[in-house]
Amino acid sequence: MSATPTEVYRAFLDAVNRRDLDAAQDCVDVLRYRENCVGFTPGFVDWKAAREAIRAVWVGLPDLHVELRTVAADGGAVVAHGTVTGTNTGRLYGVPATKRRYEASFFDRVDVEDGLIVERVQQADVLGQMRQIYGKAFGVVGLAALLVRLP
């Protein structure tokens, strides 16, 4: 029996939580995959660029963790809502570490075809994240540093 789209998505996130991008890759169609992590990728990117984006985030937030609260599927489409947490112990896009923890809500929309993820759109509360990491005034500076790297 093959995995359901929800099981494929959960396996993908479990691999990311373990920092195992090889296992995450087993859940995606590397030839067709496209991802838009709003605020962290410059629009839609392929699997190779998505891997690099998550590695860049792990530099600043090595304990990044995703916790799902709600997951629903209709055919191959999966939507999810949850919480992402982390501690800024490294440089995040060039900005020095603050050693502050954050918690932000996020949502994902994932398309699964033939048992593999072909598209993912993820949106987190980036401004809330940056304000928690860098403080209210400097949160805008942190957000600006993130946006400067986007084309």
Side-chain angles (χ1 to χ4, degrees), residues 84-99:
V84 61
T85 58
T87 308
N88 179 223
T89 57
R91 294 183 76 84
L92 185 58
Y93 298 110
V95 179
T98 62
K99 300 193 180 9

Side-chain angles (χ1 to χ4, degrees), residues 25-40:
Q25 181 170 304
D26 291 342
C27 300
V28 305
D29 183 330
V30 296
L31 298 177
R32 296 173 50 208
Y33 185 83
R34 53 188 243 138
E35 171 180 290
N36 184 354
C37 285
V38 179
F40 291 96

Side-chain angles (χ1 to χ4, degrees), residues 13 30 53 58 79 110 114 121 123 133 150:
L13 284 185
V30 296
W58 283 338
V79 292
V110 175
D114 301 321
V121 177
Q123 172 69 62
I133 292 173
L150 301 175

Side-chain angles (χ1 to χ4, degrees), residues 11 13 17 21 27 29 38 50 53 55 58 65 67 71 75 108 118 135 139 141:
L13 284 185
N17 279 337
L21 289 178
C27 300
D29 183 330
V38 179
R55 283 187 181 120
W58 283 338
H65 183 79
E67 187 71 37
V71 180
D108 253 347
V118 295
V141 173

